[in-house]
């Protein structure tokens, strides 16, 4: 009885510690990349800082809840499309922040001699990602 209780307590401590470490790493990753400050700067919405913070916290908690529960969440197709759109926007902004921090595209465009065509290169990448995603979802996901 005591051994079982001690084992459960150790599992709770390890799980909580692991979750805090992963959460701290995620927040540090967003902070180092400067995703949220850059988003606020580009959109000129500094007055909504508390809304951004609330959205990040609520999204993290809701995502964690959905990850650890066995809820079968049947939704209409339009809700799933909107949900997927939000996921795509988040992943795209995270990738854009990473490339912006590392200055990948300006360096690449200079190296291959496409200094004046950076916008065209970015649009080609964007449309390629959209076309590839649509192709995958239309033909491979059933």
């Amino acid at each position: 009885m005591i051994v079982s209780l001690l084992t459960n307590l150790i599992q709770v401590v390890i799980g909580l510690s692991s979750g805090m470490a992963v959460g701290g790493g995620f927040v540090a990753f967003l902070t180092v990349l400067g995703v949220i400050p850059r988003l606020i700067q580009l959109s000129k919405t500094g007055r909504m800082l508390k809304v951004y913070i609330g959205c990040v916290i609520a999204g993290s908690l809701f995502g964690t809840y959905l990850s650890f529960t066995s809820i079968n969440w049947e939704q209409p197709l339009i809700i799933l499309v909107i949900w997927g759109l939000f996921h795509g926007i988040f992943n795209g902004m995270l990738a854009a922040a990473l490339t912006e921090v590392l200055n990948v595209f300006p360096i690449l465009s200079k190296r291959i001699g496409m200094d004046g065509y950076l916008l065209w290169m970015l649009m080609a990448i964007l449309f390629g990602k959209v076309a590839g995603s649509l192709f995958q979802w239309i033909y491979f996901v059933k």
Side-chain angles (χ1 to χ4, degrees), residues 106-126:
I107 292 171
L108 179 66
S109 67
K110 286 180 185 175
R111 296 237 173 168
I112 63 175
M114 294 183 62
D115 292 337
Y117 301 103
L118 181 61
L119 179 64
W120 288 100
M121 186 170 74
L122 290 173
M123 294 306 285
I125 291 170
L126 172 83

Side-chain angles (χ1 to χ4, degrees), residues 78-124:
I78 188 69
I79 300 295
L80 294 176
V81 169
I82 293 170
W83 185 268
L85 184 65
F86 284 152
H87 277 274
I89 289 170
F90 175 76
N91 289 330
M93 289 178 67
L94 193 62
L98 182 60
T99 57
E100 185 175 326
V101 167
L102 299 177
N103 289 327
V104 170
F105 291 124
I107 292 171
L108 179 66
S109 67
K110 286 180 185 175
R111 296 237 173 168
I112 63 175
M114 294 183 62
D115 292 337
Y117 301 103
L118 181 61
L119 179 64
W120 288 100
M121 186 170 74
L122 290 173
M123 294 306 285

Side-chain angles (χ1 to χ4, degrees), residues 56-99:
V56 169
I57 292 170
S60 298
L61 290 175
F62 188 62
T64 302
Y65 174 74
L66 288 180
S67 295
F68 287 107
T69 57
S70 60
I71 293 176
N72 190 0
W73 203 29
E74 296 292 329
Q75 293 297 317
L77 182 61
I78 188 69
I79 300 295
L80 294 176
V81 169
I82 293 170
W83 185 268
L85 184 65
F86 284 152
H87 277 274
I89 289 170
F90 175 76
N91 289 330
M93 289 178 67
L94 193 62
L98 182 60
T99 57

